[in-house]
Amino acid sequence: VQLGESGGGSVQPGGSLRLSCAASGDTDRTYCMAWFRQAPGKEREGVAAIYTHDGDGPYYADSVKARFTISRDNAKNTLYLQMASLKPEDTAMYYCAAEYRGDCPDERWGKKAEYAYWGQGTQVTVSS
């Protein structure tokens, strides 16, 4: 499966952005799909994850709970991340990731090693 992110940009603190991840290729399978982010000098960290079919997830990092919402539109093969109340510490490159499996791993959904497929990333900058 190929992944392509869009929707990044610059926003003031308190603002909102919606990221999209379009999937193409082998989209008939079931996947755990996730958003990761990586700030300069830091490790890539899981932000949110959701399974492509009902019954599993979503999962969120504590730092984004109640501010970010992950969702999917299977008809469009697109994953979304709605981000609200953005903070300067949310500044990072945001990546979409996917792994073919029967669910999202409860304890390891935010570990980059769990995902084989990655997009190129989209930059989010939160600054006044």
Side-chain angles (χ1 to χ4, degrees), residues 19-48:
L19 306 183
S20 299
C21 172
S24 60
D26 196 5
T27 57
D28 288 339
R29 290 182 153 184
T30 56
Y31 291 89
C32 178
M33 299 193 74
W35 288 99
F36 281 73
R37 66 186 182 185
Q38 187 167 18
K42 293 189 177 181
E43 292 289 319
R44 191 171 297 190
E45 62 174 355
V47 174

Side-chain angles (χ1 to χ4, degrees), residues 11-81:
V11 64
Q12 292 186 339
S16 300
L17 279 175
R18 188 177 80 158
L19 306 183
S20 299
C21 172
S24 60
D26 196 5
T27 57
D28 288 339
R29 290 182 153 184
T30 56
Y31 291 89
C32 178
M33 299 193 74
W35 288 99
F36 281 73
R37 66 186 182 185
Q38 187 167 18
K42 293 189 177 181
E43 292 289 319
R44 191 171 297 190
E45 62 174 355
V47 174
I50 192 168
Y51 189 52
T52 53
H53 290 68
D54 292 335
D56 194 31
Y59 302 85
Y60 294 98
D62 289 343
S63 59
V64 305
K65 280 180 181 177
R67 299 191 299 122
F68 291 10
T69 303
I70 189 172
S71 62
R72 53 176 170 74
D73 185 333
N74 289 348
K76 296 182 178 179
N77 294 319
T78 301
L79 180 74
Y80 301 100
L81 185 69

Side-chain angles (χ1 to χ4, degrees), residues 37 39 42 45 67 86-92 94 126:
R37 66 186 182 185
K42 293 189 177 181
E45 62 174 355
R67 299 191 299 122
L86 283 161
K87 304 175 181 180
E89 51 264 43
D90 295 317
T91 295
Y94 282 71
V126 184

